[in-house]
């Protein structure tokens, strides 16, 4: 081969190779079944498809279906187990509308399906039009989608072990952001739900369902609603529920007609609802703990109607018309260790058919509540038991909303509490309430290290004793000019701080301790809301002289002097 022929052959091969590359790139599909599961189209391995439905029909179970950026118009039925449908460029660049507005954008009828990263729009017609529709399926995940302008966002019926997370659901045209009927062991996590014409998250007969970390804003009726039938065992926590005064009649969280439901509502920020923050209607065994409930200007922060066995603990209720409102309810309603301040009409109101136990709350002033109360704090109505009240506010949670206050029931256990450097050991069984004060609830006392807790045990009859440990920072003790060995436990008897009769300090493990039994001071009968603090022991009998860090006990000086004098006289004789 001549040099000229070789050069011509080489040029031909380069041009041909370039044409192959260009042809491959130009014909790469927008939709493919990704057999290699690497988010890229591999010619000869993956299967190109014309539509998403074509890809579903072509795929085998547990295949991946990748969709590139673009706008698509189809109603997709996902009817094969384990498919992973993913928009590889994300929802901002990958939009799926509908051909038939009366059908869902995605209708999931198989289990173990994942739908991730799409923008789903325009399913605006009659039921079952919705962004994503699921029925009678297990273990499905709906993640990181934008669902906008549909009749409803996500609709599910009889689903189990499903995860709905990190979706943005907005501008819904008719019903709910998320609606689930009969879900079991499902989780709704970290979604952003806004501008909803009915309810942000609606759960009908849920069981063991967690609603956590969501932002629900600008809804017409409810931010989150749980309703119909008992035995839910559900938790609503760490959500931001902001009505934004979007309409009249808004409620942040509503539990409605749930019977014995065992629902926990905790650590939520519930603000700017025109009607009310939390409503409990005809439902029992509800815990409302550690929430910040603010600016429900028309009616209430927390309303309880025809319900029982409700514990309201560690909440901030401020800027509402009524902080807490009780109607037609009287069986075991406990409101304890809340900061109820700056509510415009009442801090607490109970109608003539109710009795509200609202002892041990902070009403905004050390003198207690006003209204039928004697003080200058938020007013209380008749049928409210308000005495004793807290004389100092509860500490705010450092890493959450609400207050540092807890309720635990146990038998022969050591109880620990988040954000409280202390523990309580039980011998026997009891229901224990505990809170951390923001400031000293009593008068000053010597050697005060600035830690104050309150313990409330409504029924101590099954206890033999409890042991309380409060841990301290050794550096702080030195900064205060105190000696660790001088510390002990004090308790507030209502008029002064007293030394606990069975108390001391462990300088090796840095805690002050007290044992409380039936014959100690304080005794178990005194734990009806008792404040404890840490400070110095009283000086020994005979007095103490302190020179720098040296302590000389006067009785021992006298004894030593007498002994030396006696030895001297005997020697002289």
């Amino acid at each position: 081969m001549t040099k000229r022929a070789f050069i011509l052959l080489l040029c031909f091969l380069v041009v041909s190779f370039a044409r192959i590359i260009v042809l491959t790139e130009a014909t790469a599909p927008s939709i493919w079944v990704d057999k290699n599961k690497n988010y890229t189209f591999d010619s000869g391995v993956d299967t190109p498809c014309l539509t998403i439905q074509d890809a579903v029909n072509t795929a085998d179970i547990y295949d991946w279906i990748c969709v590139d950026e673009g706008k698509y118009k189809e109603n997709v039925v996902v009817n094969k187990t384990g498919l992973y449908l993913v928009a590889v460029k994300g929802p901002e660049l990958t939009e799926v509308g509908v051909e038939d507005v009366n059908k869902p954008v995605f209708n999931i009828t198989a289990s173990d399906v994942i739908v991730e990263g799409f923008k789903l729009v325009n399913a605006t017609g009659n039921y079952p039009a919705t962004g994503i529709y699921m029925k009678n399926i297990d273990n499905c995940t709906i993640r990181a989608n934008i669902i906008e302008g549909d009749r409803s966002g996500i609709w599910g019926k009889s689903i189990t072990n499903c995860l709905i997370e990190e979706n943005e659901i907005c501008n819904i045209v008719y019903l709910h952001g998320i609606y689930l009927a009969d879900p079991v062991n499902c989780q709704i996590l970290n979604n952003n739900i806004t501008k909803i014409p009915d309810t942000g998250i609606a759960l009908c007969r849920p069981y063991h369902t967690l609603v956590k970390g969501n932002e629900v804003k600008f809804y017409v009726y409810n931010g989150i609603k749980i309703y119909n039938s008992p035995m839910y065992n559900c938790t609503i926590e760490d959500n931001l529920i902001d009505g934004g005064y979007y309409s009249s009649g808004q409620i942040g969280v509503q539990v409605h007609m749930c019977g014995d439901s065992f629902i926990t509502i905790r650590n939520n920020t519930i603000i700017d609802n025109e009607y009310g923050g939390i409503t409990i209607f005809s439902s029992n065994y509800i815990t409302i703990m550690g929430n910040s409930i603010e600016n429900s200007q028309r009616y209430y922060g927390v309303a309880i109607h025809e319900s029982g066995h409700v514990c309201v603990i560690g909440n901030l209720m401020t800027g509402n018309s009524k902080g807490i409102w009780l109607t037609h309810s009287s069986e075991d309603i406990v409101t304890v260790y809340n900061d109820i301040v700056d509510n415009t009409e009442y801090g607490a109101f109970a109608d003539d058919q109710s009795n509200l136990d609202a002892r041990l709350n902070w009403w905004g002033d050390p003198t207690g509540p006003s209204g039928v109360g004697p003080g200058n704090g938020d007013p209380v109505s008749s049928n409210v038991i308000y005495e004793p009240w807290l004389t100092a506010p509860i500490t705010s949670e450092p890493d959450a909303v609400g207050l540092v206050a807890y309720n635990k029931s146990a038998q022969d256990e050591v109880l620990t509490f988040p954000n409280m450097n202390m523990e309580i050991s039980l011998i026997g069984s009891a229901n224990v309430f505990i809170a951390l004060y923001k400031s000293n609830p009593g008068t000053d006392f010597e050697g005060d290290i600035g830690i104050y807790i309150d313990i409330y045990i409504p029924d101590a009859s099954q206890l033999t004793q409890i042991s309380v440990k409060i841990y301290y920072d050794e550096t702080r003790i030195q900064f205060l000019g105190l000696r660790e060995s001088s510390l002990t436990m004090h308790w507030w008897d209502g008029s002064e701080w007293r030394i606990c009769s069975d108390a001391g300090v462990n300088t090796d493990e840095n805690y002050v301790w007290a044992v409380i039994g039936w014959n100690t001071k304080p005794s178990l009968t005194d734990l009806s809301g008792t404040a404890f603090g840490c400070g110095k022991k009283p000086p020994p009998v005979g007095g103490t002289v302190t020179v720098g860090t040296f302590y000389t006990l006067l009785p021992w000086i006298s004894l030593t002097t007498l002994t030396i004098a006696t030895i001297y006289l005997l020697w002289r004789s």
Side-chain angles (χ1 to χ4, degrees):
M1 180 182 294
T2 65
K3 183 176 181 181
R4 174 184 171 84
F6 177 77
I7 292 174
L8 289 173
L9 177 60
L10 184 60
C11 292
F12 174 78
L13 292 174
V14 169
V15 171
S16 298
F17 184 68
R19 290 183 64 195
I20 292 172
I21 293 175
V22 170
L23 181 62
T24 302
E25 290 180 348
T27 58
S30 297
I31 304 166
W32 66 96
V33 178
D34 188 4
K35 293 292 186 178
N36 282 343
K37 299 182 177 181
N38 60 4
Y39 301 101
T40 58
F41 177 72
D42 298 314
S43 181
V45 177
D46 298 334
T47 305
C49 301
L50 295 177
T51 66
I52 301 172
Q53 188 64 63
D54 182 29
V56 171
N57 296 340
T58 301
D60 296 320
I61 60 172
Y62 293 98
D63 269 348
W64 286 21
I65 295 173
C66 291
V67 181
D68 207 344
E69 64 180 279
K71 291 189 176 182
Y72 305 88
K73 191 172 183 180
E74 54 182 308
N75 303 91
V76 182
V77 178
V78 185
N79 55 8
K80 288 185 180 175
T81 300
L83 294 185
Y84 173 34
L85 290 85
V86 57
V88 294
K89 299 291 180 58
E92 299 293 346
L93 298 175
T94 315
E95 179 179 295
V96 184
V98 291
E99 287 186 329
D100 186 341
V101 297
N102 294 309
K103 293 181 180 180
V105 184
F106 280 113
N107 181 3
I108 301 174
T109 64
S111 295
D112 298 329
V113 168
I114 301 172
V115 175
E116 180 175 344
F118 294 89
K119 183 174 184 180
L120 309 177
V121 299
N122 297 332
T124 58
N126 298 319
Y127 174 84
T130 188
I132 294 179
Y133 181 96
M134 300 176 286
K135 187 174 182 180
N136 299 324
I137 51 94
D138 301 324
N139 303 307
C140 286
T141 297
I142 310 301
R143 178 188 295 126
N145 302 282
I146 295 175
I147 303 173
E148 181 175 2
D150 297 296
R151 184 178 190 270
S152 291
I154 297 173
W155 195 100
K157 167 69 174 175
S158 299
I159 64 175
T160 304
N161 298 318
C162 289
L163 173 62
I164 300 171
E165 67 172 353
E166 299 176 5
N167 300 282
E168 180 179 331
I169 302 172
C170 59
N171 298 316
I172 297 304
V173 299
Y174 183 65
L175 282 174
H176 312 303
I178 297 172
Y179 171 82
L180 302 181
D182 303 302
V184 177
N185 296 326
C186 291
Q187 298 185 69
I188 301 172
L189 308 178
N190 303 318
N191 300 280
N192 190 333
I193 303 170
T194 186
K195 294 186 178 179
I196 306 298
D198 197 306
T199 296
I201 299 172
L203 303 176
C204 180
R205 299 179 300 274
Y207 185 75
H208 281 297
T209 292
L210 173 63
V211 181
K212 182 175 181 178
N214 302 280
E215 290 192 5
V216 185
K217 299 180 179 180
F218 311 143
Y219 37 85
V220 171
Y221 294 120
N222 304 278
I224 299 173
K225 182 177 180 180
I226 298 179
Y227 61 101
N228 289 356
S229 186
M231 297 305 292
Y232 288 143
N233 294 285
C234 295
T235 300
I236 300 170
E237 67 177 346
D238 297 332
N239 301 283
L240 171 61
I241 305 165
D242 179 1
Y245 301 121
Y246 193 60
S247 75
S248 61
Q250 294 167 301
I251 298 172
V253 176
Q254 181 172 183
V255 178
H256 186 84
M257 300 289 289
C258 289
D260 294 343
S261 49
F262 300 96
I263 293 170
T264 298
I265 304 168
R266 66 182 174 216
N267 296 341
N268 301 283
T269 298
I270 304 171
I271 59 174
D272 294 346
N273 289 280
E274 195 271 347
Y275 205 92
I278 297 175
T279 299
I280 310 300
F281 181 85
S282 193
S283 303
N284 306 314
Y285 299 101
I286 311 292
T287 298
I288 301 171
M289 181 172 69
N291 303 282
S292 179
I293 307 163
E294 304 179 38
N295 299 331
S296 298
Q297 295 183 359
R298 184 173 179 184
Y299 285 114
Y300 54 81
V302 174
I304 302 170
H305 180 75
E306 294 183 352
S307 300
H309 304 286
V310 179
C311 179
V312 184
I313 179 173
N315 302 280
L316 171 64
M317 303 179 211
T318 186
N320 309 291
S321 178
K322 299 176 181 70
I324 183 166
W325 186 14
L326 186 67
T327 59
H328 294 82
S329 301
S330 61
E331 185 179 359
D332 194 22
I333 308 294
V334 177
T335 304
V336 63
Y337 295 148
N338 301 283
D339 282 2
I340 306 174
V341 297
D342 296 330
N343 297 286
T344 57
E345 186 178 359
Y346 283 99
F349 179 88
D351 68 5
D352 291 338
Q353 289 77 44
S354 306
N355 290 288
L356 176 59
D357 183 352
R359 292 173 288 182
L360 301 174
N361 291 288
W362 168 248
W363 302 98
D365 194 277
T367 60
S370 59
V372 301
N376 299 315
D378 277 22
V380 296
S381 73
S382 56
N383 303 314
V384 174
I385 304 169
Y386 58 83
E387 192 173 10
W389 59 83
L390 300 183
T391 54
I394 303 299
T395 298
S396 299
E397 284 273 12
D399 54 359
V401 300
L403 310 174
V404 183
Y406 304 100
N407 172 218
K408 290 186 178 183
S409 296
Q411 179 174 353
D412 299 323
E413 289 186 26
V414 177
L415 304 180
T416 59
F417 306 91
N419 301 310
M420 298 182 71
N421 292 321
M422 56 102 38
E423 62 185 47
I424 297 177
S425 300
L426 304 182
I427 299 179
S429 62
N431 184 22
V432 178
F433 295 83
I434 189 163
L436 179 67
Y437 282 104
K438 184 182 293 185
S439 57
N440 188 339
T443 57
D444 294 338
F445 62 99
E446 188 176 5
D448 176 11
I449 69 172
I451 301 175
Y452 320 98
I453 65 169
D454 199 281
I455 300 175
Y456 170 44
I457 299 180
D459 180 6
S461 62
Q462 302 302 311
L463 283 172
T464 301
Q465 69 176 39
I466 70 169
S467 300
V468 181
K469 296 179 181 179
I470 298 178
Y471 290 85
Y472 58 82
D473 183 345
E474 186 176 353
T475 304
R476 176 170 173 77
I477 301 304
Q478 294 173 354
F479 173 79
L480 293 171
L482 301 172
R483 296 173 68 242
E484 291 182 68
S485 59
S486 73
L487 299 177
T488 194
M489 191 86 75
H490 297 240
W491 67 289
W492 178 251
D493 71 353
S495 59
E496 63 178 325
W497 288 101
R498 294 181 176 272
I499 302 295
C500 297
S501 63
D502 188 358
V505 62
N506 185 321
T507 57
D508 293 329
E509 299 184 29
N510 295 345
Y511 63 81
V512 178
W513 59 269
V515 175
I516 303 168
W518 292 106
N519 299 311
T520 61
K521 287 292 183 182
S523 71
L524 291 171
T525 56
D526 293 314
L527 299 181
S528 57
T530 304
F532 292 84
C534 302
K536 287 180 64 174
K537 300 174 186 176
V541 176
T544 304
V545 175
T546 304
V547 180
T549 57
F550 295 97
Y551 294 77
T552 308
L553 301 179
L554 297 182
W556 287 103
I557 292 176
S558 300
L559 179 60
T560 302
T561 303
L562 178 61
T563 302
I564 293 173
T566 302
I567 294 172
Y568 176 74
L569 291 173
L570 289 174
W571 176 72
R572 287 294 302 270
S573 64

